[in-house]
Amino acid sequence: MFDYRKIIGIEVLKEKIPQELQFWHLFGNIAELHYSAKAIDGLYCDYTNIITLLLTDSNQQYKIELTLYNIKGNMNFDMANGFFSGFAIDEYANPGSDNHFHIYSDEQDIAFDLYCEKIRAVLV
């Protein structure tokens, strides 16, 4: 289920997507992926990495734009199949860390293992 406290926009997903589809492993189709690095502090030239994924369910009835901020880790997936077996998100409660979320593939042969500070989810 979409039982997360810190994902921005998760309440809208829980309200608009049927309960039986509220699992990340059902949104394994990657329609778009964008990567960027943006300056967050002009004085010290600090940057944050941002990945935006447009994910769909198998019927392409629902589309979720998932934006990950301040990312660390490895990203590798099948270009034709996306996350064929889906993916998962773990949420951590450690307030002193910038790794609040762990995003990883359910497939053992895909090295998609990211940590990020913030996630924003938007139903498109």
Side-chain angles (χ1 to χ4, degrees):
M1 296 290 295
F2 288 164
D3 292 328
Y4 299 91
R5 294 177 290 126
K6 296 181 183 176
I7 294 180
I8 301 164
I10 197 71
E11 292 303 321
V12 174
L13 270 60
K14 288 170 72 172
E15 178 183 314
K16 305 265 183 177
I17 295 176
Q19 191 171 3
E20 62 271 9
L21 291 176
Q22 292 185 15
F23 298 94
W24 292 117
H25 70 271
L26 297 176
F27 287 87
N29 299 319
I30 303 170
E32 293 181 23
L33 184 144
H34 300 277
Y35 171 83
S36 64
K38 294 187 178 183
I40 56 173
D41 185 354
L43 185 62
Y44 297 105
C45 296
D46 286 334
Y47 291 87
T48 185
N49 300 324
I50 299 170
I51 292 177
T52 302
L53 298 157
L54 183 60
L55 305 168
T56 67
D57 61 319
S58 60
N59 295 330
Q60 297 188 1
Q61 183 178 4
Y62 295 96
K63 294 180 182 177
I64 298 174
E65 182 181 88
L66 203 63
T67 306
L68 316 173
Y69 297 88
N70 197 14
I71 309 143
K72 296 173 180 85
N74 296 316
M75 184 174 74
N76 179 346
F77 57 89
D78 185 340
M79 297 297 284
N81 295 319
F83 301 113
F84 185 71
S85 295
F87 69 101
I89 298 176
D90 291 339
E91 182 177 56
Y92 301 123
N94 185 357
S97 171
D98 58 356
N99 295 327
H100 294 289
F101 299 98
H102 181 205
I103 302 97
Y104 55 95
S105 172
D106 290 337
E107 296 179 51
Q108 293 185 10
D109 61 341
I110 293 181
F112 192 88
D113 192 33
L114 300 177
Y115 293 87
C116 67
E117 181 177 4
K118 180 171 73 170
I119 297 178
R120 181 180 56 109
V122 176
L123 187 62
V124 181

